[in-house]
Amino acid sequence: GAVVSQHPSRVICKSGTSVKIECRSLDFQATTMFWYRQFPKQSLMLMATSNEGSKATYEQGVEKDKFLINHASLTLSTLTVASAHPEDSSFYICSARQGVPLNSPLHFGNGTRLTVT
Amino acid sequence: KQEVTQIPAALSVPEGENLVLNCSFTDSAIYNLQWFRQDPGKGLTSLLLIQSSQREQTSGRLNASLDKSSGRSTLYIAASQPGDSATYLCAVVSWGSQGNLIFGKGTKLSVKP
């Protein structure tokens, strides 16, 4: 089956540093990838949609200068949390669409637990 | 704006019981609906995907139904086991979106041995 690899699985950093999270589709090409954020005991909230070769589309209330998304190839999207602060601590999950049609299956990475101290 | 609601928020049952988890969505214009399982601190495991033209999908002890016109889906778990304990998430892809999933808040299931 289709596999999405997300790395790192866990990161602890000091306030003010930047953190990069990678999302790779291992056995399929993903024109579109999505980045979600999940607070404790809450559901997943879409942060942005990442399309290969173009700028990401951010959801309302998500700072694009804070959460930098790059989708440089059909198998890799990265999310960089710039100058992280404790309120950025959360669980970040990426997903990749396997196929172009909007009803194509979405496959998820295992998530990244970010803790900013 | 599409909203997904899951009831109940939490459920505790003894091992062996059959159970039903409910999901409702406000806009019936969807491409598909998907059920996921999430273990504490972990990512998502896809359980079942139902396209808008389908009525149900089955995988092992799991059966998911979709009534698009009424905006409802149910996940039926037969003969529950302690290993089924997890949070179950329902999500839809809506028309007019970029193909992203909109999630409910989940049902936290606990199966007691």
Side-chain angles (χ1 to χ4, degrees), chain A residues 11-55:
Chain A
V11 59
I12 301 172
C13 70
K14 293 189 175 181
S15 184
T17 59
S18 294
V19 175
K20 180 185 281 189
I21 303 170
E22 292 188 348
C23 180
R24 294 181 183 272
S25 55
L26 297 186
D27 50 1
F28 66 97
Q29 293 185 331
T31 306
T32 302
M33 291 186 177
F34 303 98
W35 288 94
Y36 290 85
R37 181 174 182 176
Q38 186 178 34
F39 290 106
K41 298 184 179 180
Q42 297 294 316
S43 190
L44 282 75
M45 298 299 297
L46 181 68
M47 298 175 66
T49 301
S50 169
N51 292 299
E52 187 267 336
S54 64
K55 290 185 178 181

Side-chain angles (χ1 to χ4, degrees), chain B residues 33-86:
Chain B
L33 181 145
Q34 203 161 351
W35 283 92
F36 295 88
R37 168 184 174 141
Q38 185 176 31
D39 292 286
K42 303 294 185 182
L44 304 181
T45 300
S46 179
L47 299 174
L48 291 164
L49 167 66
I50 311 177
Q51 298 291 355
S52 62
S53 59
Q54 298 174 325
R55 299 282 294 184
E56 67 176 350
Q57 285 287 333
T58 298
S59 175
R61 294 183 293 110
L62 305 179
N63 176 277
S65 67
L66 173 63
D67 185 342
K68 196 176 68 167
S69 60
S70 68
R72 296 178 187 276
S73 175
T74 61
L75 178 66
Y76 175 82
I77 302 177
S80 59
Q81 303 171 358
D84 295 330
S85 298

Side-chain angles (χ1 to χ4, degrees), chain A residues 48-70:
Chain A
T49 301
S50 169
N51 292 299
E52 187 267 336
S54 64
K55 290 185 178 181
T57 303
Y58 291 82
E59 295 299 298
Q60 191 173 9
V62 178
E63 300 174 59
K64 62 180 180 181
D65 295 330
K66 173 81 169 171
F67 299 99
L68 306 169
I69 292 173
N70 183 282

